[in-house]
Amino acid sequence: KSTSGSTRSSRLLLTGATGFLGSRAVSVLRERHTVITLPSALVRGDLTPARLDVLRAAIADAAPDALVHTAAIADMGYAEQHPDESEQANVALPLALARLCAAQGCRLVHCSSDQVYNGCDGSGPFTEDVPLAPRNTYGRQKRASETLVLDAAPDSVCLRLSWMYDLPGWGLPTHANLITNLVKAAMRKQPLSLYATDMRGITYARAVAEKLPAACALPGGTYNFGSESTGSVWQTGVRWCEVLGLPPETVQPAQGTPRSLCMDGALLRAQGICFDDTAEGITRLAQDYGLLGL
């Protein structure tokens, strides 16, 4: 079962509060933790001296236990087409925040991505110390951000997040993800093609949000932070259909270039933070939305 690894109340400064993960972090954590959000305008655009001064003042005024940086340009297609803009958001900004946090004695928790493993040989699961050579711009930017953040502030924590999922609910923004695609396919009775050659973990976004305070207490370094899996996206879709009672024909296998983004969670588990695996994590979502037994 999922565990958080920590129950101590924290004072957290959060970027990306209007995004997919950030909005869930605010919703999930504010009952037990003090969550302060940085306005989106402060973490967008060029990092001018004036903007850095405002960020510095905002961190000082918040006096957080940690700054949790969830904001990013995470659309991989957009990053490919706009490398300079995404470089500013995905590399320059985390580095600037790391320097500001180091100067003010505040820990930075920086959200990275399993896309750093896109290019690794073999099927995984991959540990945090495996040699990396990301194939796409987004993966390369996230890898660069990890290195620069830890060089600037070695006490920082970099979290390699997997693909995440959630349904629309609680007034929170939701983009297309595996569970929404499955539900739409079932409703329309149009089979969803999922790659049988794409191996990766997929994580319930609310479970990630719940564990962010525990991540703030981790020793400085990089961690795989999400559900483990050794199966394909198609196999995950089949399992999820079983749990949710969707027709098995809702998904069909597709072939493509073999790829694995499977992460090894042993380092995180050694610190007392555990996620449900990808196949079983859907049960938690089904419970939250009252979908079991329908």
Side-chain angles (χ1 to χ4, degrees), residues 13 15 21 66-73 89-98 101 107-113 116 138 140-150 153 155-161 212 215-216 218 221-223 225:
L13 181 61
T15 71
L21 176 59
L67 191 161
V68 181
H69 180 47
T70 73
I73 291 179
N90 295 337
V91 182
L93 177 59
L95 173 58
L97 292 176
C101 286
R107 297 201 81 190
L108 175 65
V109 175
H110 167 51
C111 292
S112 185
S113 169
V116 300
Y138 179 69
R140 289 191 292 271
Q141 290 173 348
K142 283 299 187 179
R143 176 60 183 135
S145 72
E146 294 175 357
T147 300
L148 293 170
V149 161
L150 291 171
D155 194 41
S156 297
V157 174
C158 296
L159 306 177
R160 291 176 178 167
L161 307 182
L212 289 175
C216 296
L218 289 168
T222 302
Y223 298 85
F225 202 77

Side-chain angles (χ1 to χ4, degrees), residues 20 24 166-175 177 179-180 183-184 285 289:
F20 184 64
R24 283 156 178 78
D166 197 3
L167 288 169
W170 294 285
L172 302 176
T174 302
H175 52 62
N177 57 81
I179 185 61
T180 60
V183 171
K184 287 180 181 178
L285 176 143
Y289 287 88

Side-chain angles (χ1 to χ4, degrees), residues 24 27-28 166 170 172 204-210 284 288-289:
R24 283 156 178 78
S27 175
V28 168
D166 197 3
W170 294 285
L172 302 176
Y204 185 28
R206 292 177 68 84
V208 175
E210 288 173 348
R284 164 69 193 283
D288 286 350
Y289 287 88

